[in-house]
Amino acid sequence: MNPRYRNLGVAAAFSAGIVWGFLGLFVRGLNGEGLSSVQITCLRYIVVAAVLGIFMSVFRRDLFRIDRRGFATVLIIGILGTALNSVCYFGAMERISLSLSTVLQYIAPFIVILLSVPLFGERMTRTKAAAVLMAFAGCILCTGFLNDPGSIDVTGVVLGALSGFFFALYTLGSKGLSRHSVSPISVLFYSSLVCCVSLVPFSDIPGVVGAASSDGHLVLLIIATGILMTLLPFGLYNYAVGKIEVGTASVITYVEPLTATVVGFIFYSEAVTAESVIGIAVILLAVMLVNRGNVGPVGRRGSG
């Protein structure tokens, strides 16, 4: 692959992780307005589907075209990888600590790296294996899980693990579609449409509209969450998995918990411990490691 395109893919994955790290700010704001996790998920993807639908109608009608195989994949990643991923993640946060929820969510890169070998013929390299283990360890350190694991609720743990599994499905599905020349814009539009349609029955949209009609701040917060915290990072991530190995993209997005740690310190005066600082350093080192140019497959002699 052209090094320039690979560098763009790496930059896109890195940027997506950084943006996702700010999501907590918006979610807390919407929770403060009385919205549930399901409503937040539904509304953010309604915004995404609406914005992309308008863009495609005006500028790129060809992007609406998708074959049966592609649409079947979009249905899977829309329901499982988008809707259930978010619902399970938010459900986990209601039952177990935020730190444990985050750690469980980030089993996704392990699943992606393991399945990308048989599905896409990607190499399992020593460098990639080491990077994902380092990044996961850094995630644990950043969240402070070792010091304060919180209550261990079986349902919460299962939901957290499922959220990681479902996000892995989203990543793998997006990669598969990119290999069949389906535009990242089409993938995001259809997966968002499927997601919001599947969640509308559980979201009391008329009630939200009634509340928003007299609260301009709520309207702006919903739109910002949809565009800045959903459309932008998912667009970047979908672009990234089309340009670089899907396992590499997954490891790079470990900058999300790193960013969330910094955001918590700046906006909520959350303590940044020595453990957190070490975790940030380990994640950054893992991201740099996975981007080394010459890596050797596991079990073979190489530079990785």
Side-chain angles (χ1 to χ4, degrees), residues 28-303:
R28 288 188 181 185
L30 289 170
N31 284 150
E33 294 284 347
L35 298 187
S36 70
S37 299
V38 173
Q39 287 175 316
I40 293 171
T41 301
C42 183
L43 290 168
R44 63 193 286 220
Y45 286 106
I46 285 176
V47 172
V48 173
V51 171
L52 289 180
I54 293 171
F55 169 80
M56 291 160 66
S57 296
V58 176
F59 300 104
R60 294 290 304 276
R61 292 194 174 189
D62 59 298
L63 295 180
F64 284 110
R65 292 195 295 270
I66 188 170
D67 60 26
R68 291 182 180 179
R69 180 179 178 181
F71 190 71
T73 303
V74 165
L75 280 176
I76 293 172
I77 65 176
I79 295 174
L80 300 181
T82 305
L84 288 183
N85 166 40
S86 296
V87 171
C88 286
Y89 185 48
F90 291 141
M93 288 192 291
E94 293 174 357
R95 293 170 172 81
I96 56 179
S97 68
L98 180 59
S99 62
L100 180 54
S101 300
T102 302
V103 169
L104 290 170
Q105 166 88 341
Y106 272 87
I107 66 171
F110 288 93
I111 299 171
V112 169
I113 286 177
L114 289 174
L115 294 182
S116 65
V117 175
L119 291 177
F120 306 123
E122 295 187 359
R123 294 187 306 162
M124 173 60 77
T125 66
R126 288 192 295 269
T127 299
K128 189 185 294 183
V132 72
L133 289 172
M134 289 173 59
F136 188 68
C139 176
I140 292 174
L141 291 171
C142 277
T143 59
F145 169 66
L146 295 178
N147 287 333
D148 183 21
S151 59
I152 304 298
D153 178 270
V154 174
T155 301
V157 170
V158 171
L159 287 174
L162 283 174
S163 72
F165 175 73
F166 290 142
F167 187 68
L169 291 184
Y170 180 92
T171 300
L172 294 167
S174 298
K175 180 66 175 182
L177 289 170
S178 72
R179 288 166 68 94
H180 288 87
S181 300
V182 179
S183 168
I185 296 176
S186 300
V187 173
L188 187 53
F189 169 73
Y190 281 112
S191 61
S192 298
L193 186 63
V194 170
C195 172
C196 60
V197 168
S198 65
L199 292 181
V200 161
F202 312 101
S203 301
D204 186 25
I205 297 302
V208 175
V209 172
S213 64
S214 59
D215 187 347
H217 177 261
L218 176 59
V219 174
L220 290 176
L221 199 53
I222 291 171
I223 293 174
T225 303
I227 295 176
L228 298 180
M229 293 295 105
T230 311
L231 175 59
L232 176 60
F234 271 101
L236 289 168
Y237 189 65
N238 285 359
Y239 175 83
V241 298
K243 298 299 181 184
I244 59 178
E245 287 190 341
V246 68
T248 300
S250 294
V251 174
I252 293 172
T253 57
Y254 268 107
V255 296
E256 178 186 350
L258 178 159
T259 305
T261 299
V262 176
V263 168
F265 170 72
I266 294 174
F267 292 94
Y268 299 110
S269 299
E270 295 178 354
V272 175
T273 63
E275 186 180 63
S276 299
V277 174
I278 294 172
I280 289 172
V282 170
I283 290 174
L284 289 175
L285 182 59
V287 171
M288 290 187 288
L289 183 63
V290 82
N291 284 299
R292 288 176 57 185
N294 300 313
V295 293
V298 170
R300 297 182 184 179
R301 188 172 183 82
S303 61

